[in-house]
Amino acid sequence: MGKPQVVLGVSGGIAAYKACELLRRLTESGHDVRVVPTDSALHFVGEATWAALSGHPVATRVWDDVHQVPHVRIGQHADLVVVAPATADTLARAAHGLADDLLTNTLLTARCPVVFAPAMHTEMWEHAATQENVATLRRRGAVVIEPAVGRLTGVDTGKGRLPDPAEIFEVCRRVLARGTTVADLAGRHVVVSAGGTREPLDPVRFLGNRSSGKQGYALARTAVARGARVTLVAANTGLPDPAGADVVTAGTAEQLREQVVKAAADADVVVMAAAVADFRPAAYAAGKIKKKDGEEPPPLALVRNPDILAEISAHRARPGQLVVGFAAETDDVLANGRAKLARKGCDLLVVNEVGERKAFGTEENEAVVLGADGSETPVPYGPKEALADRIWDLVAARLV
C-alpha cells in the first residue's frame, strides 16, 4: 500500500508561513504531499520553499503542465485535501463552487475528505457572509476547524488565528484514519470536560487527582475531525489546545460545573470525561497551614461537591440531549459501573479500571461503554483516540 496522498492548499494570508510546519509534519509521518498555493500565498512563502519541503514541483495555475490535466488529476488522486490557512476569500470561493485557480479546481474534483483551517481577522471571521460560507461547507461534509483566539496581524487580538500546526496535523491524521467523507457530527455542538479538579486547602496546597486530561482531549480532537463544534472545559491539564475546539478553563469542581452548565445550554451532547473531586475542604485557610513540632495535624473536614453528571442528566438543557459519563473504578468494575449508570441517569457510561499505569496519564486506555438501554460495548486496550472514536460512534447512532 502506497503513502497516503495529501493535497495541502495554501491561501494568501500571513499565516501561510505556519503551513510549512504542517507540511513538515505530514511528510515526516509518511504522507506524500502535493502543495497547491494560490498566487497570493506565494507573496508570503515562495514556490521554492514548498517544492523543497514537499519533494514535488509546485504548480499554481491550471495552465501549468496542461497535458497532465492537473486541475482534475490532483483532486482525483488525493486521500485528503487540507487548506491551511484558508482565508475568507478562499472559503467564499469554495462555498460557491468557483474554479478560477488550481486550488479551487482541486477542491471541486476531490472526492476525499476536505479540511479547512481558517485564518483571518476577527471581524472577517464573524461576518455573516463568512459564517454562511462556513455553514455551507460543513453542510456538504467538509471539516472547517474553528480558528484559535490570540494575536493576529499587527496589534490586534481575537478569534481568527490559525490553530497550532501540530494540532491541525492531529485533525488531519484523525480524518485520514476514519477514511470517510461523512462528517457524522457536522452541525452538532458537543461539550467535553477534561482533566482533574483541584480543591484548595490553603494558598499552596490542594486536594486533587491524577487525571491528565488526555482522554478528554482525545474526545475533543476526534469530535472536531468528525465535524462537530466543540467546547472543551479543561481543568488543570497543561495540554495544548486542540485545533478547532473552543477551550474554557476551570480549576475547582464548582467552577467546572458553572462552565459545563453554561456550555450545555445549546449542546447536543455533553461528555463528562473530567475527574471531578467528590469532596472539598469545608474551610479554606487564608494562610499556609503550618507544621508544628510535636503536634498532629487537625482533622480535615470535607463537604460534598456538586454532582455535575447527575445534575445535567436530570435537567437536560434541550430535548434529545445526550449525556455521557465516565466511571473510574478499582474493583468490581462492571457492577459498580452499572450501579453508577442507574444512579447518575446518563445515556452512556464509560467504565474503566484505574490504578498504577492504568488510564491516568497514559496514552492508552481500555473500557466498557455501558448504555442505559442495557447495551455493553467493550473497547480493547489501545490509543485513547480509538476509545474516543468508539464513544462518538455510539453517540452518533443515538442522535436524533
Side-chain angles (χ1 to χ4, degrees), residues 23 40 84 109 119 163 178 199 230 247 303 308 312 326 352 378:
L23 173 57
S40 295
T109 56
R178 292 194 69 232
E199 309 302 322
V230 179
V247 181
V303 295
I308 308 171
I312 60 175
F326 272 68
N352 54 5

Side-chain angles (χ1 to χ4, degrees), residues 261-285:
V261 170
K262 179 181 178 181
D266 68 342
D268 299 286
V269 187
V270 181
V271 182
M272 286 296 300
V276 182
D278 293 319
F279 309 100
R280 68 181 184 273
Y284 172 76

Side-chain angles (χ1 to χ4, degrees), residues 294-379:
E295 294 186 15
E296 292 297 319
L300 179 61
L302 301 175
V303 295
R304 284 184 178 274
N305 270 324
D307 190 329
I308 308 171
L309 178 58
E311 178 182 350
I312 60 175
S313 297
H315 305 287
R316 310 285 171 120
R318 56 189 298 183
Q321 185 178 70
L322 290 178
V323 179
V324 181
F326 272 68
E329 301 291 345
T330 57
D331 53 63
D332 296 328
V333 174
L334 289 183
N336 287 334
R338 278 288 174 200
K340 184 172 184 177
L341 175 64
R343 191 168 64 251
K344 302 294 185 180
C346 51
D347 301 287
L348 295 170
L349 188 72
V350 184
V351 185
N352 54 5
E353 185 176 0
V354 297
E356 194 67 28
R357 294 185 294 276
K358 290 182 179 179
F360 285 144
T362 67
E363 301 298 330
E364 292 79 29
N365 204 353
E366 63 180 319
V368 177
V369 185
L370 304 177
D373 56 3
S375 60
E376 188 173 302
T377 307
V379 183

Side-chain angles (χ1 to χ4, degrees), residues 61-72:
R61 292 170 289 277
V62 295
W63 305 110
D64 294 340
D65 299 318
V66 70
H67 63 288
Q68 297 180 5
V69 200
H71 71 289
V72 174

